[in-house]
Amino acid sequence: MATVEYNRIGKSFGAVNIMRDVSFRIEEHQFVVLLGPSGCGKTTLLRMTAGLETVSEGDLMIGGKRVNDVHPRDRDIAMVFQNYALYPTMKVYDNIAFSLEVAKVQTDEIKRRVEAAAEVLNLTPYLQRYPKELSGGQRQRVAMGRAMVREPSVFLFDEPLSNLDAKLRAHMRTEIRQLHNRLKTTTIYVTHDQIEAMTMADKIVVMRAGKIEQIGSPDEVYDTPASKYVADFIGSAAINFMPGTVVTGEGQPAVDTPNGRIRVLPGAAVKPGQKVICGIRPTDAVVSDDGPIRTRALLVERMGHDVQLCTAAPAGQFLAIVDRSRPFAEGVEVRFDAAPEKVHVFDAETEMRL
Amino acid sequence: MHQSRGIRTLRTIAGWLVVGVFFFPIYFWTTVAFRNAKDIFNWPPIFVDFEPTARNFEQVFGISLGFGFGAQEAVTPGGGNFYMAPRLWDSIVIASMSTVLAIVVATLAAYCLSRMHFRGRHEFVNWVLSTRMMPPVAVAVPMFFIFKQFSLLDTYLGVILVHGLMNLPLAVLLMKSFFDDIPSEIDESALLDGASRWTIFRRIVLPMAKGGIAATAVLCFIFSWTEFLFVLTLTQTSIKTVPVVSSTFVTSIGTAWGNMAALGAAAIVPAFIVIMLVQRHLVRGLTMGSLKQ
C-alpha cells in the first residue's frame, strides 16, 4: 500500500503540450477514478504513473519517493490494460505466474500464490487453458489475477471494462470494488464511464483537456459540480441547461430564462443582471401544475420504475425523469419546477459554479 | 451460402482447371526426368505412354538405383559430367544457412524497429527498403572484387552471406509488420511484470511471431534456392547451387534435357519439405494481421 502524489505534473509530446500543472494526492487504500472523455489525458497520466511514459514536468511520488526516473518494474505497481494484454502463447497459470517467475520466486511459492489468486477470481477451473479459450469476463479476471499475484503497492486500471457487454460490465464493476475492499490496495482507475466512476470511486478526479476540472467524492461531484462541464459529464441522463439573467424577485435571487423564472438559493454568489447558465438534472425536475417551466411532451419513455419525459421547452429540449404514477401522453403540456437547492448555477462566461 | 448445382459444378471445374494449369508443368517436367532422350520431344507429345528409365537420376546422383526399367549401362563410378548430387547438398546448405542468418538478424532488427523509439527510426526503415531498389546485377561485379579481397570467393560462407544479406531488407520489413501487429500493451504488461527487454522478446514476443517467422523463412529459403546471378559470379568450381548447375546441362553437343529435369525434379523435394514443415504456421502467419484477439 502506498500513497501516490502528483505534484505539478506536465506532459508534452514534442512541442505539443497536452497536460500541465496537474496536482493531487491519493491516500493509502483509496480507490481513485480518473474520469474524462477520450483525449483528456487520463490514460497518459496513468501511463506516466506506471512509467510507460516519461514525466515532462513536475514530481511523481509513490510511497513518498520521487519515481520520475524509476524503471517501471521497480515502481511496485501492477496494471490492467484495456485489451487485457494477456500473453496468448501461455496458459492462464503461466500468465499469472509470469511476474513471479521473472522475479525468481520459488516454484512452490508461485504455485501457492497463483492458486490463491485463481481461487479469489474463480479462475481455478481455467488455469490450464489458453487465453483465447476464455470469455471476455474470464480474460478480464486473468488480467486482474496477473496484477494481484504480485501484491503490488498500487493497482492501475486502464478502462478495464470497456470491452465487455453491459451486463458483464456491471458485474465486474462490483467484483473489482469488492476485491478492493478485501485487498485495500491503493487503486487508480481510468474510465470515461461516469457510472463506473460514481459506483466504484472513493474519490473522482474529473479531467478535461489535460487539466483537472474537479476532485471530490462521487456525491460531491454529483451534487456540487464545479463547472458546467462536470455537471454535463456526471449523471446518466444528461442535465438540462438553460441560459438566463439573474434578477431579484420576492427577496430571493432568481434567474430569468427562456423557460421562465427559476428560483435559486439565496446564498448563491450572483449579482442582479449577471449572465448565467442554470442546470437542472432530469431527476430533480418535479411535475408541478404551476411550475415555471412550460414544456410539451415529445416522447414518453417508460423505463420500468419511472418514466423519462423528453419534452420541448422554449430553451430547447428538456429532459425529466418522473415517477410513473401519473399518466403522460405525447403532445400534452407538462409544467415543471425545481427546488432552488437543486438548481446549479454557472457563470455564462467562465462556466464555473456560482 | 446457397448455390445452385450448376454454379457449384462450375466452381469445381474452374478449381480443377487452375490446379491443372499449375500442376501440369511440374508433372511434365517430372516425367521428362524419367524419359529417354528420344521420348522427350515427340510430336504429338506423349504424356503417359513412354518407356520409363531411371538413367537420368542415376547419372545425376552417381548411383545405381538398383531398380531397372530394362537393361542399364553401369554408371561411371564417382559420377560423370552430369554427377550433381553434391550440388544439391550445396543448395541445401546455402539456402538453410542463409535463411537462418537472415531470420536471426531480421527478427532482432525488426523487433527494435517495431518497439524502440530512437532518432532516425523511420529513415532507417526507408533506407533498409531502398537497398532492394537496386538491380542486383549492378553490384555483382563489385561484389566479385570485394569477395576476392576477402577470400570469400567460391566458399559456402561467401554465398551464405550474400543470400542472407539480400534477404535482409525484405525479411526485416516483413517481420516488422508482424511485430507491429502484436499489441505493444503486451510488451508493456511484461515490462511492468518485471521482465527485461530480452526476456520479453524471447518469452513473449517471439512465440507470438512464430507464424511470421515461418512465412519469412519460407520466402528467404525459396529466394536462396532459386537465386542464380550471385552464385554464378561468386563461385567457381568447389561449390555451385542447383540453378547454376542446371545451366551446365546445356553443352556443346546438345542439351541434356533428361538430366536437367531429373535435377530439377529432385530440387523440388527439399524446398517442398521445408514448406511442409512450416506450413502449419504459414497460413496463420500470412493472415495474422487480420485476426484481432
Side-chain angles (χ1 to χ4, degrees):
Chain A
M1 321 299 123
T3 57
V4 180
E5 198 175 337
Y6 299 92
N7 197 354
R8 305 181 63 89
I9 297 284
K11 176 70 183 171
S12 308
F13 287 110
V16 188
N17 181 286
I18 63 148
M19 190 183 297
R20 62 159 50 105
D21 222 5
V22 166
S23 300
F24 64 99
R25 186 184 156 86
I26 297 166
E27 302 301 335
E28 270 180 48
H29 314 310
Q30 246 184 353
F31 194 113
V32 171
V33 171
L34 303 182
L35 177 68
S38 59
C40 74
K42 57 192 192 306
T43 294
T44 307
L45 191 60
L46 193 77
R47 289 173 60 86
M48 284 198 276
T49 316
L52 298 172
E53 299 279 355
T54 55
V55 178
S56 311
E57 285 165 43
D59 303 313
L60 173 64
M61 323 276 282
I62 297 179
K65 259 183 23 218
R66 186 175 185 275
V67 294
N68 285 36
D69 304 313
V70 174
H71 192 275
R73 71 168 151 255
D74 300 324
R75 294 190 183 195
D76 198 17
I77 40 138
M79 183 158 167
V80 174
F81 290 84
Q82 181 171 4
N83 56 7
Y84 320 139
L86 301 181
Y87 312 131
T89 54
M90 295 185 190
K91 290 181 175 162
V92 169
Y93 181 94
D94 300 308
N95 259 282
I96 300 177
F98 183 72
S99 64
L100 301 176
E101 268 170 39
V102 170
K104 302 214 160 43
V105 175
Q106 300 263 312
T107 319
D108 44 348
E109 169 71 4
I110 293 180
K111 190 165 179 316
R112 193 186 63 71
R113 275 158 79 170
V114 171
E115 279 169 1
E119 188 66 42
V120 170
L121 295 165
N122 294 324
L123 284 171
T124 312
Y126 309 108
L127 282 177
Q128 292 309 315
R129 294 211 192 162
Y130 285 99
K132 62 166 185 264
E133 298 161 350
L134 301 179
S135 69
Q138 289 164 345
R139 287 180 203 186
Q140 172 61 53
R141 287 207 292 270
V142 175
M144 278 162 57
R146 210 168 52 174
M148 254 170 66
V149 77
R150 296 176 48 203
E151 297 167 6
S153 52
V154 183
F155 270 137
L156 307 177
F157 288 90
D158 184 11
E159 311 214 11
L161 304 184
S162 55
N163 288 349
L164 304 178
D165 64 62
K167 200 169 171 190
L168 196 55
R169 202 179 305 164
H171 174 70
M172 289 306 293
R173 215 159 64 198
T174 47
E175 277 200 9
I176 292 177
R177 183 62 222 208
Q178 279 171 356
L179 197 67
H180 177 261
N181 291 348
R182 178 146 28 143
L183 302 176
K184 301 232 184 299
T185 310
T186 311
T187 300
I188 310 178
Y189 186 106
V190 160
T191 183
H192 60 263
D193 182 344
Q194 54 93 20
I195 297 180
E196 278 175 30
M198 294 295 287
T199 51
M200 300 169 85
D202 293 324
K203 185 152 100 174
I204 296 179
V205 178
V206 185
M207 294 188 66
R208 176 193 195 182
K211 283 194 185 131
I212 292 177
E213 196 81 1
Q214 184 172 10
I215 301 177
S217 71
D219 285 346
E220 280 164 4
V221 291
Y222 185 80
D223 293 335
T224 53
S227 64
K228 178 176 175 244
Y229 175 81
V230 177
D232 199 18
F233 205 83
I234 306 274
S236 50
I239 189 168
N240 301 295
F241 288 116
M242 49 213 84
T245 314
V246 176
V247 292
T248 21
E250 301 129 36
Q252 177 175 355
V255 178
D256 265 342
T257 73
N259 285 353
R261 177 166 296 189
I262 292 166
R263 291 168 299 137
V264 300
L265 270 190
V270 291
K271 295 185 290 285
Q274 190 175 3
K275 296 265 185 251
V276 296
I277 297 166
C278 288
I280 300 173
R281 293 201 184 276
T283 42
D284 294 334
V286 184
V287 179
S288 151
D289 291 334
D290 54 357
I293 307 168
R294 294 158 170 268
T295 70
R296 187 160 300 281
L298 290 177
L299 198 62
V300 182
E301 293 172 298
R302 286 170 191 84
M303 302 195 301
H305 181 259
D306 34 36
V307 173
Q308 176 165 312
L309 284 178
C310 182
T311 67
Q317 181 175 294
F318 188 90
L319 212 58
I321 293 175
V322 294
D323 78 84
R324 59 176 172 177
S325 55
R326 257 174 80 155
F328 292 100
E330 275 140 33
V332 300
E333 192 194 63
V334 188
R335 294 177 69 161
F336 294 103
D337 198 359
E341 66 273 16
K342 299 286 191 189
V343 178
H344 307 282
V345 186
F346 306 100
D347 187 286
E349 198 99 331
T350 65
E351 300 195 341
M352 298 310 280
R353 183 179 190 84
L354 294 171
Chain B
M1 192 169 61
H2 178 77
Q3 277 174 337
S4 74
R5 231 184 122 80
I7 296 280
R8 257 186 313 181
T9 319
L10 217 63
R11 278 166 68 104
T12 311
I13 292 170
W16 280 110
L17 270 176
V18 172
V19 171
V21 165
F22 281 99
F23 188 72
F24 179 73
I26 297 174
Y27 167 76
F28 193 76
W29 192 239
T30 313
T31 62
V32 166
F34 287 102
R35 290 176 202 213
N36 287 309
K38 67 181 168 59
D39 289 333
I40 294 175
F41 285 105
N42 298 42
W43 193 260
I46 47 171
F47 296 114
V48 214
D49 184 24
F50 54 85
E51 194 187 317
T53 171
R55 179 107 199 116
N56 295 322
F57 284 97
E58 290 181 334
Q59 285 175 338
V60 166
F61 288 97
I63 43 163
S64 290
L65 287 172
F67 62 92
F69 300 105
Q72 309 259 326
E73 295 164 39
V75 173
T76 325
N81 283 339
F82 293 153
Y83 174 57
M84 296 302 179
R87 309 289 85 116
L88 207 57
W89 175 245
D90 289 348
S91 273
I92 292 173
V93 170
I94 288 169
S96 7
M97 295 315 286
S98 70
T99 302
V100 170
L101 174 72
I103 291 294
V104 168
V105 178
T107 309
L108 291 167
Y111 181 67
C112 293
L113 288 173
S114 169
R115 288 300 195 267
M116 293 177 186
H117 299 268
F118 54 88
R119 195 180 287 271
R121 183 163 65 127
H122 296 289
E123 289 76 4
F124 188 83
V125 173
N126 287 335
W127 173 69
V128 165
L129 185 62
S130 74
T131 58
R132 277 303 287 231
M133 295 174 186
M134 185 169 43
V137 70
V139 289
V141 173
M143 285 289 251
F144 175 82
F145 287 109
I146 295 169
F147 272 49
K148 204 173 161 196
Q149 284 285 321
F150 286 94
S151 310
L152 287 170
L153 279 187
D154 217 13
T155 61
Y156 279 135
L157 183 63
V159 184
I160 290 168
L161 273 178
V162 164
H163 283 183
L165 296 183
M166 283 189 73
N167 272 326
L168 261 186
L170 200 69
V172 167
L173 291 175
L174 254 167
M175 287 308 301
K176 179 180 179 296
S177 75
F178 283 118
F179 286 135
D180 285 346
D181 282 344
I182 298 175
S184 59
E185 283 91 344
I186 290 183
D187 293 49
E188 292 172 346
S189 180
L191 198 69
L192 293 177
D193 272 350
S196 65
R197 269 282 175 205
W198 178 247
T199 309
I200 296 172
F201 176 71
R202 200 174 49 83
R203 293 210 37 206
I204 311 278
V205 177
L206 214 51
M208 290 179 73
K210 258 195 311 205
I213 293 174
T216 314
V218 165
L219 291 178
C220 290
F221 189 91
I222 291 174
F223 168 83
S224 174
W225 193 251
T226 55
E227 204 277 338
F228 180 81
L229 180 70
F230 280 99
V231 179
L232 184 70
T233 27
L234 302 178
T235 63
Q236 280 151 352
T237 49
S238 50
I239 58 168
K240 283 238 185 291
T241 59
V242 169
V244 173
V245 288
S246 292
S247 66
T248 62
F249 289 116
V250 185
T251 67
S252 52
I253 52 160
T255 301
W257 289 108
N259 299 86
M260 195 193 273
L263 182 62
I268 293 177
V269 177
F272 189 72
I273 290 173
V274 168
I275 294 174
M276 287 302 277
L277 283 178
V278 295
Q279 187 205 31
R280 199 160 53 89
H281 307 288
L282 190 63
V283 179
R284 254 194 64 212
L286 294 176
T287 60
M288 196 163 84
S290 64
L291 295 171
K292 269 271 167 278
Q293 42 176 351

